[in-house]
Amino acid sequence: MIQSPALSLPLAVLFDFGGTLDAEGVAWKERFFRLWCEEVEAIAPDRFARAFYAADDALVGAVPPTLTLRETVERITQGVTREMGASDPALAGRIAGRFLDEARERLQASALLLSRLSRRYRLGVVSNFYGNLSAVCAEAGLSPFLAVMVDSVCVGCTKPDARIFQAALAALSVEPAQAVFVGDSLPRDMAGARGIGMPHIWLTPKTSGGEESCCPGDRVIHRLEELRQLL
């Protein structure tokens, strides 16, 4: 296995989307689960995960490339409520609305951060998405600062497959060691970047127990804004 080099001043910075640019290290499944428990009832995480993944998988490669973030979230929420057998017809709308309000607040902050970073680095997004990543980034106001947006559906592979990262690096004309990847998932983002020798930074919520990094010497951040002090 390729070990990641020590973090130094990069030429490019690549980001995950869901859980990273639209949150502070919390994946979509976990955010939907919290909202479900608050709106309906506390249930076993495994039971909710099955419903979420069924709804999520149904969208992959099955949506128009122009589908907005709102429509994407609404489709997932409707799928989850169907899978869970919910009887409240207004439930999906409430959960989707709360999810979107939280995501948009973080995306506004991310757009400001990217605007600042883009003055020094070439930026990109690499995401396991549904085929509409470019439209969602444009809607969120991120596109003006991004040199590349790689959607797993469009390239035919998903993280941690090396090819999805290589597609972004090739578009930016940089080597893995000249870039850094920022993401919230250890098995997809961190492991994928490590596999091609790209430095990586793990964005994860702060807990009382402390966090282990992906690799010795890796950086861990709890807020995306902390990147400004690292880069």
Side-chain angles (χ1 to χ4, degrees):
M1 180 179 294
I2 301 173
Q3 293 297 315
S4 64
L7 180 63
S8 58
L9 191 65
L11 298 178
V13 185
L14 300 175
F15 297 86
D16 172 50
F17 181 82
T20 300
L21 289 175
D22 70 340
E24 295 285 25
V26 185
W28 280 28
K29 176 173 70 71
E30 304 309 319
R31 286 146 62 195
F32 276 116
F33 175 63
R34 173 179 58 82
L35 292 171
W36 178 275
C37 291
E38 291 174 359
E39 289 286 341
V40 185
E41 61 179 347
I43 62 171
D46 288 349
R47 181 186 172 201
F48 184 84
R50 289 192 294 271
F52 174 83
Y53 286 128
D56 184 72
D57 290 346
L59 265 63
V60 176
V63 304
T66 56
L67 196 73
T68 66
L69 177 62
R70 169 174 288 280
E71 291 167 327
T72 302
V73 169
E74 287 175 345
R75 291 193 187 193
I76 292 175
T77 313
Q78 290 162 3
V80 168
T81 56
R82 284 195 302 270
E83 292 289 331
M84 294 295 293
S87 58
D88 182 354
L91 177 61
R94 293 200 305 272
I95 292 177
R98 291 182 61 187
F99 185 99
L100 286 162
D101 287 344
E102 294 173 4
R104 285 174 175 150
E105 180 179 355
R106 292 309 315 152
L107 286 167
Q108 289 176 358
S110 292
L112 180 59
L113 175 65
L114 295 187
S115 72
R116 292 168 174 165
L117 293 178
S118 66
R119 300 166 192 166
R120 301 176 59 190
Y121 310 103
R122 302 196 71 194
L123 306 180
V125 172
V126 180
S127 178
N128 290 351
F129 218 66
Y130 308 103
N132 61 325
L133 177 65
S134 293
V136 167
C137 287
E139 176 191 1
L142 307 180
S143 295
F145 316 114
L146 299 171
V148 63
M149 291 166 278
V150 180
D151 186 317
S152 58
V153 167
C154 299
V155 296
C157 55
T158 60
K159 294 179 293 184
D161 193 311
R163 292 172 294 173
I164 192 170
F165 297 95
Q166 290 164 344
L169 295 172
L172 297 175
S173 299
V174 298
E175 297 298 321
Q178 296 175 309
V180 61
F181 195 87
V182 183
D184 65 285
S185 170
L186 285 175
R188 293 184 294 275
D189 300 326
M190 301 298 97
R194 181 182 66 237
I196 62 170
M198 180 163 47
H200 36 285
I201 299 172
W202 185 28
L203 173 64
T204 182
K206 191 169 186 177
T207 65
S208 58
E211 299 82 14
E212 295 183 2
S213 61
C214 173
C215 304
D218 277 356
R219 305 300 181 94
V220 177
I221 60 175
H222 305 298
R223 297 177 59 251
L224 203 57
E225 182 65 23
E226 293 173 34
L227 278 179
R228 296 183 63 190
Q229 284 71 52
L230 289 183
L231 299 177

